[in-house]
Amino acid sequence: MTQNLADTTRLTASAATPAGEPRGWWRDAVIYQVYPRSFADANGDGMGDLPGVRSRLPYLRELGVDAVWLSPFYASPQADAGYDVADYRAVDPMFGSLLDADGLIRDAHALGLRIIVDLVPNHSSDQHEWFQRALREGPGSALRERYHFRPGKGETGELPPNDWESIFGGPAWTRTADPDGTPGDWYLHLFAPEQPDFNWDSPAVADEFRSILRFWLDMGVDGFRVDVAHGLVKAPGLPDLGTHDQLKLLGNDVMPFFDQDGVHEIYRAWRKILDEYPGERIAVAEAWTPTVERTANYVRPDELHQAFNFQYLGTAWDAAELRAVIDSSLAAMRPVDAPATWVLSNHDVTRHATRFANPPGGTQLRERGDRELGLRRARAATLLMLALPGSAYLYQGEELGLPDVTDLPDEVRQDPSFFRADGQDGFRDGCRVPLPWSGSTAPYGFGPTTGGPSWLPQPAEWAELSVEAQTGDPTSTLELYRSALAVRRERPELGAGREVEWLPSAPGVLAFRRGSFVCLANTTRQPVAYPTAGRLLLSSGEGVEPGLLAPDSTSWWAV
Ligand code: GLC
């Protein structure tokens, strides 16, 4: 699987970060998540690829984002859509080659876009060379130290070593067979059995990841999104949890396998490496922690730069709840001098246009809900998010107002958690359906018309949501995003700083000022009187009347 780049030095030099940018670019950056499987398919095999992403970079430039985060495109058997990596330094042939990655990084930089790649350090694929050798060599192999192999409990070792459950459902342990075929030790996998967890107490693991960081930094990437950043270190002795209600505890408690204090040592070492490189290379933590205060630990000045704000993602479209999470997020980041981040959608949760179309609760929905209501609120929620101080993450397709596809037939689903009982709901495929770019029939410009069907089918009604259909229509969601990002560029006070000045407002309304900018969000289903003043810059709702905030709308004002 290993690919060689003949001349990495040459690539490094010419793929350097855009010059002349102010320091701290990431503090208020708008970062767009590309899910390579579903963004653009250049070779027509029904699966998105790096040449496809590369061909669409001008679209992202025009949209007005600062950086692009790419979900994994590394060599992988795709047991978890690429989050099971077999070779961290190779591009999976399904996505292209290292040369394609190099071209993508260069083109992005030439357009003034930064590139962030996904790093998956909690687990590898079970097809990773280390794991395969560990299995082959059997108990006593030094390679086994790099993962968590343990004898089972019970008379013949027939029971898993502890009571931990996989996030995707079922036990977090799978029993191996010894080289002679007899049942052997068990190995730990917090996710699918095809994703064995690394043992971060092993110096070889730590060394390997420092080397992988350097490999991609040398390729010219501007940063990393760190997958399961809260999971790398497990409590000594791998103690039982003592309950089978694990899913209820997830995200609400520090667990023996999540958010252990030991992870921070790893990030301190990584920060030193990032700082060695010119151009402010960054890392953002995917850390599901119980509180924003614990999230702040990941972004102390000598650790990572940003962490996703999942508390914000999980908040309902409700003024009081939103105000509380905005205040607590800003307060938590202040002592560590990190920017707050904001996010509404990603490849693991129901898109916000569908979440807000349904009663609050849950980020894995099966219900289509009230589409019109959902879209209205999604647009309003986005304008609110983009007016907050800090950095914002967008997920591909939200700029088109895409809903989740809630009626995918079971036989096309690929989310591994769908196939494992009692774990996460397994409905992540619904937010991963390939983008509609143009035309009136599938694949809507996702791939060539002569190509095969897309890996997940696109709904018939997506013709009217395509980039082509929305471009130039001032009422479209795409044009709303473009305008919002243009205003954000013209008025740096939107993302800058770390405070919002709340203005008095009626229940259900959020009103705040940032310098000469005012943001008003009406989260209710009724129009609300508000003494607006100044010049309207942008509104997510239509027919703005003076002194009246439209239902479920956000408007931006210059005062
Ligand atoms: C992260 C990814 C998710 C993946 C999991 C295991 O949560 O975002 O897609 O399934 O890690 O790698």
Side-chain angles (χ1 to χ4, degrees):
M1 284 282 201
T2 307
Q3 296 159 358
N4 285 314
L5 270 188
D7 188 356
T8 7
T9 340
R10 179 184 57 80
L11 298 174
T12 310
S14 52
T17 309
E21 298 271 340
R23 284 192 68 75
W25 65 270
W26 44 278
R27 288 190 165 267
D28 61 353
V30 177
I31 302 176
Y32 181 101
Q33 179 187 359
V34 163
Y35 194 64
R37 297 170 74 96
S38 302
F39 192 66
D41 169 21
N43 66 1
D45 64 355
M47 178 66 67
D49 45 42
L50 295 186
V53 180
R54 195 174 170 189
S55 73
R56 298 288 187 182
L57 287 173
Y59 165 78
L60 297 176
R61 173 70 219 176
E62 203 192 320
L63 180 61
V65 299
D66 301 299
V68 178
W69 146 38
L70 295 149
S71 279
F73 48 77
Y74 314 112
S76 161
Q78 305 287 319
D80 184 19
Y83 282 95
D84 49 319
V85 181
D87 183 344
Y88 290 83
R89 298 179 185 81
V91 173
D92 196 286
M94 150 197 291
F95 294 122
S97 66
L98 268 186
L99 279 171
D100 293 323
D102 171 60
L104 171 60
I105 295 165
R106 282 162 189 270
D107 284 5
H109 286 169
L111 288 167
L113 291 167
R114 310 214 181 219
I115 294 287
I116 293 173
V117 293
D118 224 300
L119 185 74
V120 189
N122 181 67
H123 44 262
S124 69
S125 159
D126 64 346
Q127 298 306 308
H128 191 283
E129 195 195 328
W130 286 3
F131 191 74
Q132 283 298 311
R133 275 183 54 198
L135 286 182
R136 271 200 312 272
E137 291 173 13
S141 159
L143 272 298
R144 291 209 169 193
E145 288 303 311
R146 300 179 188 183
Y147 295 91
H148 295 280
F149 282 88
R150 293 284 185 285
K153 286 186 177 162
E155 240 163 70
T156 57
E158 74 282 9
L159 300 171
N162 73 16
D163 65 1
W164 298 358
E165 285 157 23
S166 153
I167 310 304
F168 291 159
W173 296 90
T174 291
R175 195 164 194 189
T176 63
D178 282 341
D180 66 2
T182 55
D185 284 348
W186 298 67
Y187 68 89
L188 176 69
H189 52 86
L190 291 181
F191 294 89
E194 296 88 348
Q195 295 168 295
D197 279 50
F198 281 118
N199 171 17
W200 271 85
D201 290 333
S202 155
V205 171
D207 282 353
E208 173 67 353
F209 273 91
R210 287 193 289 261
S211 157
I212 293 165
L213 279 179
R214 288 186 190 282
F215 177 87
W216 288 102
L217 289 167
D218 289 341
M219 284 279 289
V221 304
D222 301 284
F224 300 91
R225 176 259 189 195
V226 183
D227 188 61
V228 197
H230 54 311
L232 277 48
V233 171
K234 277 72 181 176
L238 312 183
D240 276 340
L241 202 59
T243 167
H244 284 291
D245 260 347
Q246 177 181 302
L247 283 177
K248 284 204 189 116
L249 298 178
L250 276 181
N252 298 314
D253 240 320
V254 176
M255 316 278 275
F257 47 82
F258 275 164
D259 202 24
Q260 292 288 309
D261 290 335
V263 293
H264 299 291
E265 242 358 277
I266 299 168
Y267 301 132
R268 289 194 188 99
W270 289 7
R271 178 61 179 258
K272 289 199 185 96
I273 296 174
L274 293 168
D275 285 349
E276 279 173 30
Y277 284 78
E280 288 188 279
R281 317 291 176 101
I282 69 155
V284 51
E286 187 218 17
W288 296 82
T289 69
T291 61
V292 277
E293 289 74 22
R294 284 200 70 91
T295 303
N297 289 339
Y298 291 75
V299 290
R300 288 177 281 201
D302 59 348
E303 296 194 37
L304 306 181
H305 297 72
Q306 297 183 344
F308 292 122
N309 189 342
F310 293 123
Q311 279 82 12
Y312 188 73
L313 185 150
T315 304
W317 179 238
D318 173 277
E321 288 180 37
L322 284 164
R323 179 168 171 165
V325 73
I326 292 167
D327 279 341
S328 63
S329 304
L330 293 171
M333 295 301 140
R334 226 169 271 134
V336 291
D337 190 31
T341 66
W342 316 101
V343 60
L344 290 165
S345 282
N346 65 32
H347 67 293
D348 288 329
V349 299
T350 306
R351 288 180 174 278
H352 60 288
T354 298
R355 287 206 312 277
F356 296 145
N358 282 285
T363 49
Q364 303 269 313
L365 299 177
R366 297 152 215 213
E367 303 301 326
R368 178 186 164 98
D370 178 342
R371 281 264 164 101
E372 200 195 319
L373 176 71
L375 182 58
R376 200 162 71 222
R377 290 180 169 174
R379 290 162 53 102
T382 298
L383 280 205
L384 171 64
M385 170 173 86
L386 291 175
L388 295 171
S391 178
Y393 279 81
L394 308 179
Y395 174 51
Q396 69 176 40
E398 66 169 80
E399 77 277 20
L400 305 176
L402 293 189
D404 250 46
V405 179
T406 47
D407 57 358
L408 284 172
D410 288 357
E411 60 272 17
V412 304
R413 290 185 179 279
Q414 304 212 4
D415 181 352
S417 56
F418 182 74
F419 303 98
R420 289 173 66 86
D422 304 327
Q424 278 181 343
D425 287 348
F427 284 82
R428 299 182 302 173
D429 288 318
C431 65
R432 298 175 175 180
V433 173
L435 293 193
W437 290 91
S438 58
S440 53
T441 49
Y444 307 112
F446 165 66
T449 40
T450 49
S454 56
W455 71 281
L456 286 174
Q458 301 157 299
E461 70 245 30
W462 278 19
E464 62 198 46
L465 295 177
S466 75
V467 171
E468 182 184 56
Q470 297 197 37
T471 296
D473 171 359
T475 65
S476 74
T477 301
L478 177 56
E479 294 299 348
L480 179 73
Y481 270 71
R482 284 180 174 153
S483 302
L485 293 171
V487 173
R488 202 173 145 114
R489 276 175 182 253
E490 281 157 23
R491 299 182 154 264
E493 71 256 42
L494 265 79
R498 55 193 70 178
E499 308 291 338
V500 298
E501 181 193 340
W502 295 108
L503 303 172
S505 60
V509 172
L510 286 172
F512 62 86
R513 176 200 284 272
R514 320 210 47 238
S516 61
F517 169 84
V518 165
C519 177
L520 303 173
N522 175 7
T523 66
T524 75
R525 293 176 86 158
Q526 288 82 42
V528 174
Y530 193 91
T532 48
R535 181 167 60 89
L536 179 67
L537 295 170
L538 195 61
S539 172
S540 70
E542 280 172 49
V544 178
E545 289 180 39
L548 214 54
L549 304 179
D552 293 309
S553 74
T554 299
S555 51
W556 288 1
W557 302 79
V559 294

